[in-house]
Amino acid sequence: MNNLISIKSATLSEDIAQQLTHAIVQGHIPQGSKISEPELAKQYGVSRGPLREAIVKLEGLGLVTRTANVGARVIQLNTQDMLDTFTMREALEGMAARLAATTMPADEISSLYALLDKHQAHLDANQDEHYVQQGGNDDFHLRIIHASGNVKLIRLLTEELYAVIRMYRRHTADHRSDPRQALREHKAILDAIANHEGDLAELLMRRHISRASQLLAQAMHQATSATSR
Amino acid sequence: MNNLISIKSATLSEDIAQQLTHAIVQGHIPQGSKISEPELAKQYGVSRGPLREAIVKLEGLGLVTRTANVGARVIQLNTQDMLDTFTMREALEGMAARLAATTMPADEISSLYALLDKHQAHLDANQDEHYVQQGGNDDFHLRIIHASGNVKLIRLLTEELYAVIRMYRRHTADHRSDPRQALREHKAILDAIANHEGDLAELLMRRHISRASQLLAQAMHQATSATSR
DNA sequence: TCAAGTCAGATTGTCGACAATATTGGGTTT
DNA sequence: AAACCCAATATTGTCGACAATCTGACTTGA
């Protein structure tokens, strides 16, 4: 198995951590599976030292759980954890939207309006197919977060929490019932930010995320009841 | 130098991580100082392996920053980072208070009222000296957080963020201008929770933390301008 | 038949040594 | 005197080997 993405980092352990994160988020390493240090070390062609460091980092990201003398396991997504995570996200991204309403520069606002137009055009041209914007510069949520200007908040959301959030969003994308509704909500949030209405921006962002989590919970519930049948 | 607290963990690296965290939060290892792996390894009587693992964990906690091929440094507290951190805390603990308003059981509520009475009595008996409640079971904020029932939120606040928050609170405690005001605010928050008023509980918790951060910012500003004089 | 105990195999935790990179101090040049 | 270069030194990154612990199958006895 070869690594599709191979950005040379300064240190092996960083490399491995990135590759492992990608592999887990994309589902190449299945949920709940055990992480075998000797096996992965051989696979990536490194010794166990850097690999262990990478695993410790993944534990910090909440992608694996470690038990002493037993080893690491990839987390298993489940509805309750998802709801808990999205509640946190609601609080944090809500705050980010509030802050963005006072700090976002005018040109970034217009740039975001352009982005939403692009999304709109994509929906029109592709029979409402969901626009894949995972993590890239076209990710509306990431743009808002960065506009908050709060370094700590940005770091927490984009570096520590977003790996797990992305895993859940991968599911959302498949089961999203109405991408146009999401786009409308994005537009409303951006309007509030453009008008410097922090309270409103926060409220709308919260509702937007809350709604997404409810849709996702439904989808996950259906999925589990289907497999258990 | 001996370790005051020595709770035997299953693994050395956990031990070291805990001891280092304590040492940094308590200021035994000064801010901004470099972490020398050989030195600390000798000091704690372990090899560099587990020590490095501990450092990686501390990096995840935001207590140190690491640079490839250079090493780790203890973070340096400064006003901007503090404000950023407390803004996050505002969002998260505000949410915790909101959740607690619907999930906190009646006996825990009475127990918390008793705790506040105890704090009141302490203030009456000790000429308004600030009651030290760092991290223990008498910590009002921690009790609220746990009452939220959101596992992810609890983990984030108590395990990942609280180390840094405690470092800042250590300063607050010294410069707290009016502990009775803080107590009044705690009481108001608890009242809102007891009445199951989630909106109000969140609002009050946010104001409470915001006020604390402003006081702390003032204190830190005075401290820096004093030393630079 | 089943439960408890035992033992081999495999995996994780820890260590000491080597390689790669950064830091330093002295010396040289302009 | 200041700036630059280079070598010596120290520190971090990586590796392979050993020790401690867990896992699972087999044996044994009730």
Side-chain angles (χ1 to χ4, degrees):
Chain A
M1 189 216 278
N2 253 331
N3 27 322
L4 302 171
I5 303 172
S6 63
I7 306 153
K8 284 270 152 43
S9 297
T11 152
L12 277 183
S13 114
E14 277 177 45
D15 257 344
I16 307 292
Q18 271 191 308
Q19 293 189 36
L20 278 182
T21 301
H22 188 258
I24 291 177
V25 171
Q26 296 303 318
H28 300 151
I29 304 180
Q31 292 177 33
S33 65
K34 186 166 182 332
I35 301 277
S36 163
E37 293 183 7
E39 188 187 322
L40 279 188
K42 206 174 68 181
Q43 205 166 39
Y44 286 104
V46 297
S47 96
R48 278 180 52 222
L51 188 89
R52 276 178 70 87
E53 242 179 64
I55 293 178
V56 172
K57 285 180 192 165
L58 290 211
E59 187 188 20
L61 295 181
L63 288 177
V64 304
T65 57
R66 263 165 35 112
T67 327
N69 294 314
V70 174
R73 270 190 182 287
V74 178
I75 56 160
Q76 182 95 31
L77 301 187
N78 69 297
T79 308
Q80 187 56 53
D81 269 20
M82 187 277 289
L83 288 173
D84 282 2
T85 303
F86 272 59
T87 298
M88 271 185 2
R89 207 186 141 199
E90 210 181 301
L92 291 169
E93 288 201 36
M95 177 60 81
R98 166 186 292 270
L99 297 175
T102 67
T103 62
M104 191 183 274
D107 57 342
E108 173 70 0
I109 292 178
S110 2
S111 166
L112 270 183
Y113 271 117
L115 176 63
L116 291 188
D117 284 344
K118 187 167 140 196
H119 287 176
Q120 177 80 53
H122 180 89
L123 289 182
D124 291 341
N126 298 278
Q127 300 112 342
D128 289 9
E129 186 194 66
H130 185 64
Y131 190 86
V132 181
Q133 50 175 339
Q134 289 268 86
N137 198 30
D138 281 6
D139 189 320
F140 180 78
H141 286 269
L142 280 184
R143 297 277 286 266
I144 303 281
I145 291 166
H146 278 108
S148 74
N150 184 321
V151 180
K152 297 283 194 170
L153 185 61
I154 294 170
R155 192 178 117 81
L156 178 63
L157 272 171
T158 64
E159 289 177 30
E160 300 188 30
L161 256 51
Y162 243 64
V164 177
I165 292 177
R166 251 181 233 168
M167 284 184 77
Y168 283 112
R169 282 221 279 174
R170 258 176 60 81
H171 292 243
T172 329
D174 302 337
H175 301 283
R176 161 79 66 196
S177 56
D178 187 359
R180 287 187 183 276
Q181 171 66 17
L183 183 56
R184 273 194 297 274
E185 290 172 6
H186 283 181
K187 180 122 192 322
I189 292 168
L190 186 52
D191 283 342
I193 290 174
N195 291 329
H196 305 298
E197 299 178 283
D199 288 344
L200 184 59
E202 174 168 23
L203 177 74
L204 292 176
M205 178 62 90
R206 280 212 195 180
R207 277 200 198 156
H208 173 59
I209 293 174
S210 168
R211 185 169 169 284
S213 81
Q214 280 165 29
L215 284 176
L216 187 45
Q218 264 182 278
M220 289 179 72
H221 185 66
Q222 284 170 14
T224 53
S225 60
T227 53
S228 66
R229 205 166 281 160
Chain B
M1 189 216 279
N2 254 330
N3 27 323
L4 302 172
I5 304 172
S6 64
I7 306 153
K8 284 268 152 45
S9 298
T11 152
L12 276 183
S13 113
E14 278 177 45
D15 257 343
I16 307 293
Q18 271 192 307
Q19 293 189 36
L20 278 182
T21 301
H22 187 258
I24 291 177
V25 171
Q26 296 304 317
H28 300 152
I29 304 180
Q31 292 175 34
S33 65
K34 185 165 182 332
I35 301 278
S36 162
E37 293 183 8
E39 188 187 322
L40 279 188
K42 206 174 69 181
Q43 204 165 39
Y44 286 104
V46 298
S47 97
R48 277 179 52 221
L51 187 90
R52 275 178 71 87
E53 243 178 63
I55 293 178
V56 172
K57 285 179 192 166
L58 290 211
E59 187 188 20
L61 295 181
L63 288 177
V64 304
T65 57
R66 262 165 35 112
T67 328
N69 294 314
V70 174
R73 268 189 184 287
V74 178
I75 56 161
Q76 182 95 29
L77 300 187
N78 69 298
T79 308
Q80 188 56 53
D81 269 20
M82 186 278 289
L83 289 173
D84 281 3
T85 303
F86 272 59
T87 299
M88 270 185 3
R89 206 186 143 200
E90 208 180 302
L92 291 169
E93 288 201 36
M95 177 60 82
R98 167 186 291 270
L99 297 174
T102 67
T103 61
M104 190 184 274
D107 57 342
E108 172 70 0
I109 292 178
S110 2
S111 166
L112 270 184
Y113 271 118
L115 175 64
L116 292 188
D117 284 345
K118 188 168 139 196
H119 287 175
Q120 177 79 54
H122 180 88
L123 288 182
D124 291 343
N126 297 279
Q127 301 112 340
D128 289 8
E129 184 194 66
H130 185 64
Y131 190 85
V132 181
Q133 50 175 339
Q134 289 268 83
N137 198 30
D138 281 6
D139 189 319
F140 180 78
H141 285 269
L142 280 184
R143 297 278 286 267
I144 303 279
I145 292 166
H146 278 108
S148 74
N150 184 321
V151 180
K152 297 282 193 170
L153 185 61
I154 295 170
R155 193 178 115 80
L156 178 63
L157 273 171
T158 64
E159 290 177 29
E160 300 188 31
L161 256 51
Y162 242 64
V164 177
I165 292 177
R166 251 181 233 166
M167 284 184 77
Y168 283 111
R169 282 219 278 174
R170 259 175 60 80
H171 291 243
T172 330
D174 302 336
H175 301 284
R176 162 78 66 196
S177 57
D178 187 359
R180 288 188 183 274
Q181 172 66 16
L183 183 56
R184 272 194 297 273
E185 290 172 6
H186 283 182
K187 181 121 192 319
I189 293 168
L190 187 52
D191 284 342
I193 290 174
N195 291 329
H196 304 299
E197 298 178 285
D199 288 344
L200 183 59
E202 175 168 22
L203 177 74
L204 292 175
M205 178 62 90
R206 281 213 194 178
R207 276 200 199 157
H208 173 60
I209 292 174
S210 168
R211 185 170 169 284
S213 81
Q214 279 165 28
L215 284 176
L216 187 45
Q218 263 183 276
M220 289 180 71
H221 185 66
Q222 285 171 13
T224 53
S225 60
T227 51
S228 67
R229 204 166 281 160

